[in-house]
Amino acid sequence: MRKDRFKILIIVAFLLQFYSCSRNDRNEIPKPGGIVAVELPDKPGMTVKGIVRDQNGKGIKGIVVTDGFNFVVSDEYGRYYLPTDLDKSRFVYLSVPAEYAIPYNKENQVTFYQKLTSGVVNEKYFSLDKLGAPADNHTMIMVGDTQVRSDDNSIPNFENKIIPDIAAHQRTLSSPCYLMNLGDLVNNEVDFYPQYRAIIGDAGVPIFNVISKIAPV
């Protein structure tokens, strides 16, 4: 009987070890020698929480995270908490260090911020790619007052002349290049903005947007 109990204990211990080592969900990060679980429980008064990780899934310490009113720094596991007033703050975003690349999506729109939802605890995760060397220099191309509209030649001119010119110029640069939309982009045709966004994404550089009359973020 003792031998049978001993065998059962060994089997149970093995299964528990296998389960813990095979898990790799969003609250775990790789560490030398295995996976270390990262707890992210709710905290009183904290309405926004999350983890900032690198391209390997490891938490990044020391990243400044803000909702525009409150500023915190991520801990050794990349975790952060913010006591955000969700009636005032619409976004949570990062201050990206020079050692990391500016994140952006397939439309070349930067993604260092995420939209918040009122009435719930927001759980927002960020990922940053480490650069080989700090990006101390860059080129910023400003685009403003384009006023493209559907009833004239402004759209084909913008798409077939300006965008290729921007793309060609950025290929001549040795430093990172970014583009910033300054506003007054689509005349009064707000519904045309998604098409404008698709067109300017073809410039092939990460795109920032300032708050303006017609430049939804």
Side-chain angles (χ1 to χ4, degrees), residues 1 17 40-41 59 65 82 101 104 117 131 168-169 187 190 196:
M1 183 63 70
Q17 180 67 20
L40 194 66
V65 187
L82 285 163
Y104 57 93
T117 303
L131 296 171
H169 178 67
N187 199 267
V190 181
Y196 171 89

Side-chain angles (χ1 to χ4, degrees), residues 112-177:
F112 63 91
Y113 63 92
Q114 295 190 45
K115 194 168 185 177
L116 297 174
T117 303
S118 61
V120 298
V121 175
N122 288 256
E123 194 168 326
K124 302 296 182 180
Y125 293 81
F126 293 92
S127 179
L128 297 175
D129 290 351
K130 189 75 176 287
L131 296 171
D136 295 327
N137 298 290
H138 65 271
T139 297
M140 181 68 78
I141 299 173
M142 305 296 187
V143 177
D145 206 27
T146 52
Q147 302 286 17
V148 293
R149 48 196 294 175
S150 58
D151 59 354
D152 61 14
N153 293 324
S154 59
I155 294 174
N157 286 338
F158 185 67
E159 184 173 14
N160 300 319
K161 295 181 180 180
I162 296 176
I163 296 303
D165 189 48
I166 292 174
H169 178 67
Q170 68 92 14
R171 288 194 293 269
T172 68
L173 303 172
S174 58
S175 60
C177 180

Side-chain angles (χ1 to χ4, degrees), residues 11-216:
I11 292 171
V12 171
F14 173 79
L15 289 174
L16 289 173
Q17 180 67 20
F18 176 80
Y19 176 74
S20 63
C21 289
S22 63
R23 291 184 63 198
N24 189 16
D25 59 25
R26 64 183 181 179
N27 286 336
E28 296 180 336
I29 56 175
K31 285 280 189 176
I35 300 295
V36 176
V38 176
E39 299 294 335
L40 194 66
D42 288 346
K43 291 185 177 182
M46 300 297 168
T47 54
V48 181
K49 64 179 183 177
I51 300 175
V52 185
R53 295 192 175 100
D54 64 17
Q55 63 266 43
N56 299 313
K58 183 178 179 180
I60 307 174
K61 180 182 179 180
I63 302 298
V64 176
V65 187
T66 179
D67 58 16
F69 295 89
N70 304 284
F71 294 78
V72 296
V73 176
S74 58
D75 68 12
E76 60 180 319
Y77 296 112
R79 298 173 297 191
Y80 70 89
Y81 288 86
L82 285 163
T84 302
D85 183 342
L86 296 172
D87 292 327
K88 293 182 178 180
S89 296
R90 295 177 55 200
F91 299 94
V92 58
Y93 53 98
L94 308 177
S95 177
V96 181
E99 294 80 13
Y100 293 88
I102 299 292
Y104 57 93
N105 61 21
K106 62 183 181 180
E107 292 183 314
N108 285 318
Q109 299 289 324
V110 294
T111 56
F112 63 91
Y113 63 92
Q114 295 190 45
K115 194 168 185 177
L116 297 174
T117 303
S118 61
V120 298
V121 175
N122 288 256
E123 194 168 326
K124 302 296 182 180
Y125 293 81
F126 293 92
S127 179
L128 297 175
D129 290 351
K130 189 75 176 287
L131 296 171
D136 295 327
N137 298 290
H138 65 271
T139 297
M140 181 68 78
I141 299 173
M142 305 296 187
V143 177
D145 206 27
T146 52
Q147 302 286 17
V148 293
R149 48 196 294 175
S150 58
D151 59 354
D152 61 14
N153 293 324
S154 59
I155 294 174
N157 286 338
F158 185 67
E159 184 173 14
N160 300 319
K161 295 181 180 180
I162 296 176
I163 296 303
D165 189 48
I166 292 174
H169 178 67
Q170 68 92 14
R171 288 194 293 269
T172 68
L173 303 172
S174 58
S175 60
C177 180
Y178 305 100
L179 185 148
M180 182 173 287
N181 280 320
L182 299 179
D184 289 335
L185 305 175
V186 292
N187 199 267
N188 291 315
E189 299 183 57
V190 181
D191 293 339
F192 182 70
Y193 179 73
Q195 186 176 345
Y196 171 89
R197 179 169 165 150
I199 292 171
I200 200 165
D202 290 338
V205 298
I207 300 166
F208 292 80
N209 296 284
V210 300
I211 298 174
S212 67
K213 183 174 65 176
I214 303 179

